[in-house]
């Protein structure tokens, strides 16, 4: 029996991805704007950002929530590289950083063509070690999620950082506000959310997809899916290639062909999500003030 108060089924394929009897659990509820969840299976913990509160939090099953980092430089999106190190996007310093095993922080990127980045937002790591991140202006629009400033970049780009040379290249330059991004399980595709409608009426509220060429460049950009309630922010994929997106009314799930399969309804506007738990079948959801989780029958594709 499908709980219609929790699930909205648009395609019967969705019923094979959800647990009909699962419960949406609220794990924490004292954020101002929760974002950037990332799972650490080796420590059985979840990290996420509370951007306006200038902190990163850590949740451990049976152990509750503690502060991981404060101040956090208004950190937003987080991921891990293939060595398991934390990669973060900082609005306040307008940079992408790596937290080393000993806790020190390495700056990976903070400028492009000699000028400050806008405010790095979300980040993913390719199996070749390259780091891909979005750079909208949300962190410099006001002093709430960063420090108000005029953008120095002429466009709001998606970047690729080469792991060997340190070279930073703009791989897409025509977004209004690039946001969440994720590779398909085989890394042949890169999905990127455009959340421009957050501040501009009639602007994009869709997810685009690009072919990844030799793990270095992108081609054949096209619209993959539209969000019918709110905007796309954070996005993730499961091992079967389904894409899970944040939205105003919950989490929207799309098949690899762009068909809306269904929704998990969440009582607050969803900002981001990630798969975690020991079997990668627990969906963690950051939504406005809270961190939620719900079990599903599919498995997240994130590595490690």
């Amino acid at each position: 029996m499908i709980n219609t108060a929790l699930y909205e089924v648009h395609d019967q394929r969705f019923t094979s991805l959800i647990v009909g009897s699962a419960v949406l659990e609220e794990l924490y509820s004292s954020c101002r704007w929760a974002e950037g969840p990332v799972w650490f299976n080796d420590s059985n913990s979840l990290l996420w950002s509370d951007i306006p509160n200038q902190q990163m939090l850590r949740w451990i099953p049976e152990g509750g929530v503690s502060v991981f980092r404060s101040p956090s430089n208004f950190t937003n999106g987080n991921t891990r590289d293939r060595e398991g190190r934390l990669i973060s996007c900082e609005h306040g310093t307008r940079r992408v950083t790596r937290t080393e095993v000993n806790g020190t922080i390495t700056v990976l990127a903070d400028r492009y063509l000699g000028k400050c980045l806008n405010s790095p937002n979300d980040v993913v790591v390719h199996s070749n070690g390259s780091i891909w991140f979005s750079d909208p202006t949300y962190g410099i629009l006001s002093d709430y999620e960063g420090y108000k400033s005029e953008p120095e970049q002429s466009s709001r780009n998606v970047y690729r950082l080469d792991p060997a040379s340190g070279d930073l290249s703009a791989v897409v330059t025509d977004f209004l506000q690039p946001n969440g991004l994720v590779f398909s399980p085989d890394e042949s595709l890169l999905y990127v959310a455009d959340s421009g409608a957050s501040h501009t009426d009639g602007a994009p509220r869709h997810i685009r997809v690009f072919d990844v060429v030799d793990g270095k460049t992108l081609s054949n950009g096209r619209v993959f899916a539209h969000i019918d309630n709110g905007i796309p922010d954070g996005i993730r994929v499961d091992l079967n290639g389904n894409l899970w997106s944040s939205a105003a009314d919950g989490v929207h799930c799309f098949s690899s062909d762009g068909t809306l399969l269904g929704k998990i309804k969440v009582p607050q506007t969803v900002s981001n999500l990630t798969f975690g738990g020991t079997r990668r079948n627990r969906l963690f959801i950051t939504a406005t003030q809270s961190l939620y989780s719900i079990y599903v029958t599919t498995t997240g594709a994130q590595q490690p």
Side-chain angles (χ1 to χ4, degrees):
M1 181 70 68
I2 298 296
N3 180 355
T4 57
L6 178 59
Y7 300 112
E8 194 173 292
V9 177
H10 290 253
D11 186 296
Q12 283 303 306
R13 286 176 287 178
F14 188 55
T15 61
S16 67
L17 301 175
I18 57 175
V19 179
S21 60
V23 175
L24 182 68
E25 302 173 73
E26 188 177 43
L27 304 176
Y28 186 76
S29 61
S30 296
C31 297
R32 283 204 172 101
W33 181 245
E35 254 284 8
V38 58
W39 177 255
F40 284 74
N41 209 45
D42 39 1
S43 62
N44 195 34
S45 65
L46 182 93
L47 294 184
W48 81 99
S49 303
D50 181 358
I51 306 175
N53 274 330
Q54 272 266 50
Q55 61 184 2
M56 295 173 68
L57 301 169
R58 174 164 49 196
W59 173 84
I60 300 174
E62 312 302 330
V65 174
S66 60
V67 175
F68 172 76
R69 179 176 295 162
S70 181
S72 65
N73 295 323
F74 296 99
T75 290
N76 187 340
N78 300 283
T79 193
R80 301 179 73 186
D81 66 13
R82 294 306 171 108
E83 296 180 42
R85 296 170 296 187
L86 176 68
I87 309 293
S88 301
C89 294
E90 300 180 1
H91 282 182
T93 52
R94 299 162 75 167
R95 67 188 188 180
V96 178
T97 64
R98 182 178 65 223
T99 300
E100 309 297 346
V101 175
N102 63 6
T104 60
I105 294 176
T106 299
V107 178
L108 300 175
D110 60 0
R111 305 180 78 83
Y112 178 64
L113 299 179
K115 299 179 180 180
C116 289
L117 298 172
N118 295 319
S119 55
N121 185 287
D122 207 357
V123 58
V124 290
V125 179
H126 192 277
S127 61
N128 64 17
S130 57
I131 296 168
W132 305 59
F133 65 93
S134 58
D135 189 40
T137 57
Y138 291 124
I140 57 175
L141 292 177
S142 73
D143 291 323
Y144 189 62
E145 293 189 15
Y147 301 106
K148 186 175 182 179
S149 181
E150 291 298 316
E152 296 183 21
Q153 299 296 328
S154 60
S155 55
R156 298 155 190 183
N157 304 329
V158 175
Y159 293 100
R160 178 189 184 272
L161 178 67
D162 186 88
S165 66
D167 290 340
L168 187 65
S169 57
V171 291
V172 191
T173 61
D174 64 346
F175 275 87
L176 183 56
Q177 291 284 26
N179 206 312
L181 64 173
V182 69
F183 288 107
S184 60
D186 64 1
E187 298 183 323
S188 65
L189 303 171
L190 179 71
Y191 300 92
V192 185
D194 194 332
S195 56
S198 62
H199 289 71
T200 305
D201 291 340
R205 56 179 76 243
H206 59 224
I207 300 164
R208 293 167 66 185
V209 62
F210 301 83
D211 297 327
V212 179
V213 181
D214 297 327
K216 295 181 178 181
T217 60
L218 302 177
S219 67
N220 191 29
R222 62 271 190 198
V223 174
F224 169 74
H226 293 270
I227 297 297
D228 62 17
N229 193 322
I231 60 171
D233 194 332
I235 53 178
R236 292 290 185 270
V237 295
D238 62 34
L239 285 177
N240 295 315
N242 301 303
L243 184 142
W244 303 69
S245 174
S246 58
D249 56 346
V251 175
H252 296 191
C253 178
F254 298 88
S255 69
S256 59
D257 63 9
T259 301
L260 176 62
L261 300 180
K263 303 179 181 182
I264 301 173
K265 301 177 185 178
V266 178
Q268 301 181 69
T269 297
V270 174
S271 62
N272 214 324
L273 60 149
T274 196
F275 290 91
T278 55
R279 299 184 181 181
R280 302 279 187 185
N281 64 340
R282 191 173 188 178
L283 192 63
F284 291 93
I285 302 165
T286 50
T288 312
Q289 296 179 320
S290 299
L291 172 70
Y292 295 93
S293 77
I294 189 168
Y295 283 95
V296 293
T297 63
T298 188
T299 303
Q302 179 184 323
Q303 296 292 332

